[in-house]
Amino acid sequence: MAAKVLTIVIGNEQIKLAEVTYTAQKIVQVHKAVTIDTPDNCVNDGNLNLKSTNALLSTLSSAIKENRISSRSVIFSIQSSKIISKEAVAPALKDAKLEQYINANASEYFPIKVEDYVLTYSVLDSYTEDGKKKLKLMVAAAPSTMVDAYYSLADSLNLTVLRVDYVGNSMLQLIKAQVEAEPTLVVQLGEDSTMVSVFVNNVLQLTRTVPYGKSTVSNTLMDVQKLTYEEACDKMATSIVLANSFSYNDEVTESLRYLVNNISRVMDYYGTKNSTAPITKGCVIVEGSTVKGIENLLRNELNIPVELVESLKQVVSDPQLSLPVTEISNYTSNIGSVIDPVNFVSRHITQKAKKESSAKYYRLAVLVAILIAVILVAYPLVQYFTKDVEKKNLQKNIDEIAYVQDIVDEYYIAFDKYTDARNFEALTLNPNDDIMELVEYLENEMPSDISITSLSANSGVVNIACTGSSKTTMAKFIMVLKANPNISDVNAASVSETINAIGTVTDTYSITFNYGLEDKTAAGDTSSDTSSTQDEEV
């Protein structure tokens, strides 16, 4: 908390304001400090009287302005007997879970109607028991209406609430900085009450509030020595008005017997619970002007070394602050509230934060839904425009080569005409048309001793009946036929042999084969190939 913070403690009689800074070195620097009288009927034991709000607002506004307090952030430390606190043990949980745990067990800590109170806590210590980590807590509860009133007051003063602490915790945080590690009794003497605490290793072990304070001594002095209140306070601060023990039967000293007896009972209670760590020393912190001799009385009656804390450790004043060191102790609650304050949070603030959080998440959900919808719409829309552009580009390319379609159409028309002509030509051709070329070939090439007795042709299939002088002659004839490229599938269907009376041998045989001119067949095949090729190209 490096920035300046305004701390305010509102009591029934007086209001204390202090502008302080808590540095990273854990030093509290007091820049401004002022005490003003509380307007009549404005405060009752920490409760702010809303009907007298204007008077309280006017008083505080004037004090802030007149003392040139610039900070707009405030920490309230509530001084009220209606704030109750209790030590408790809880499992080691994270903050959010720990808060839920405390709220769930609130009825076990306090005999109150939980919904009418605001709870908070501070961690005193952590330890391990039966292998489980546990936390020692100081749980506090304050009436909701009381806490709400302080938030309303801050709003009216145009101040931002950083924390709402309570005096018990504020003083505790400051006291922790004043003691050593050894078991120490701390007596904080206030005007009307005294807080008695026991610390071990700077950890609070026990704390009690005793309803006796400095006013007990001042009132007795006023009665015995007929002094005014101011004179009694001045005498307590400048002269030793207390004896060293109650054995002197001094009336002023006797006024503190109840206080000392209560402190002794607190020590005894602690001793029964912590016999292994007895209290070895004590210190006295007096709010405001001191009571000379108080430490000697406590030392002798409690039988432990007791010292008076005249200057607060880890607390310094601004060089421009014209306030005696002894007077800084008047602002212990203000100073302690910046060290490690608890925070009573108004239920209205909590509910408002929840609503804002819910609204925030709702707005976020709506934005996410809108974003998803935009993506769902935009993605296909982008695809549509992309495809549309591609389509237009393709159509443009098609339009640029549209003339090719006319060429293709002309090609198909010409090809159809060609096919029709070729088919018509094929109908006019007959292999028998070429039979004359076959006859001429036979006359020129067949063996001389072959005699053809008959020749018939039907659609290119030729059947020859002939005679020869021997089978050798027939074989030569067949070879001649096969040598002709226009002849195929030569087959000697039947062979018979006769011998006449003079011993002449005559072979009779029938031969079949296919005949067709090679050039015509090639022409037909070429047309077919061309057709196939053209089809493939098309």
Side-chain angles (χ1 to χ4, degrees), residues 169-386:
N169 181 72
S170 300
M171 292 191 295
L172 171 65
Q173 301 306 321
L174 184 62
I175 292 171
K176 285 168 61 177
Q178 312 307 313
V179 299
E180 305 296 336
E182 60 186 302
T184 304
L185 173 74
V186 178
V187 178
Q188 186 169 5
L189 190 64
E191 187 67 28
D192 298 310
S193 63
T194 299
M195 189 170 74
V196 183
S197 308
V198 179
F199 290 83
V200 178
N201 293 322
N202 296 101
V203 176
L204 179 67
Q205 304 298 316
L206 179 67
T207 183
R208 295 289 186 270
T209 300
V210 180
Y212 302 99
K214 290 193 304 179
S215 61
T216 304
V217 180
S218 61
N219 290 336
T220 305
L221 279 174
M222 291 166 62
D223 292 339
V224 173
Q225 300 185 17
K226 308 303 180 183
L227 302 176
T228 64
Y229 177 74
E230 290 76 13
E231 291 172 339
C233 291
D234 183 65
K235 189 164 188 177
M236 287 191 302
T238 56
S239 305
I240 297 178
V241 297
L242 300 175
N244 291 337
S245 72
F246 294 124
S247 60
Y248 290 94
N249 294 320
D250 177 71
E251 190 173 352
V252 176
T253 307
E254 282 292 328
S255 67
L256 291 178
R257 182 177 288 275
Y258 290 109
L259 172 61
V260 176
N261 287 343
N262 276 278
I263 295 173
S264 181
R265 280 196 290 270
V266 172
M267 293 178 63
D268 292 340
Y269 177 79
Y270 168 81
T272 59
K273 301 288 185 179
N274 303 272
S275 58
T276 58
I279 296 173
T280 58
K281 62 176 292 188
C283 63
V284 182
I285 301 174
V286 182
E287 290 187 15
S289 59
T290 188
V291 179
K292 278 189 171 294
I294 183 69
E295 71 275 16
N296 296 327
L297 176 63
L298 294 177
R299 184 184 303 122
N300 293 322
E301 293 297 329
L302 301 177
N303 295 317
I304 58 171
V306 177
E307 63 179 15
L308 179 66
V309 177
E310 296 182 310
S311 61
L312 298 173
K313 297 178 183 178
Q314 298 183 356
V315 178
V316 297
S317 61
D318 191 305
Q320 297 181 356
L321 179 65
S322 57
L323 188 71
V325 175
T326 55
E327 292 297 318
I328 291 181
S329 61
N330 278 329
Y331 300 90
T332 52
S333 296
N334 297 75
I335 295 169
S337 66
V338 299
I339 298 176
D340 189 13
V342 297
N343 192 21
F344 289 111
V345 182
S346 168
R347 292 189 186 277
H348 297 302
I349 299 297
T350 303
Q351 292 171 357
K352 182 180 178 182
K354 287 182 179 179
K355 289 181 180 179
E356 290 178 351
S357 178
S358 299
K360 177 182 178 182
Y361 285 119
Y362 175 76
R363 289 194 296 270
L364 181 61
V366 171
L367 288 175
V368 170
I370 293 173
L371 180 61
I372 292 174
V374 169
I375 292 173
L376 291 176
V377 173
Y379 180 71
L381 191 62
V382 170
Q383 284 190 318
Y384 168 77
F385 285 118
T386 301

Side-chain angles (χ1 to χ4, degrees), residues 22-96:
Y22 187 48
T23 68
Q25 294 75 30
K26 297 184 178 181
I27 301 296
V28 181
Q29 185 175 25
V30 182
H31 303 285
K32 304 284 178 63
V34 59
T35 300
I36 57 178
D37 292 332
T38 304
D40 294 337
N41 301 319
C42 284
V43 183
N44 180 19
D45 195 17
N47 281 313
L48 304 184
N49 187 352
L50 298 179
K51 295 181 179 179
S52 303
T53 300
N54 290 336
L56 185 60
L57 283 174
S58 176
T59 300
L60 286 171
S61 298
S62 298
I64 292 172
K65 184 178 181 180
E66 290 172 3
N67 290 275
R68 298 181 180 180
I69 295 174
S70 59
S71 175
R72 307 313 300 171
S73 300
V74 64
I75 295 178
F76 290 106
S77 185
I78 303 177
Q79 181 177 319
S80 174
S81 61
K82 294 181 180 180
I83 295 178
I84 51 179
S85 61
K86 184 178 181 180
E87 296 175 15
V89 175
L93 301 171
K94 292 184 178 180
D95 291 344

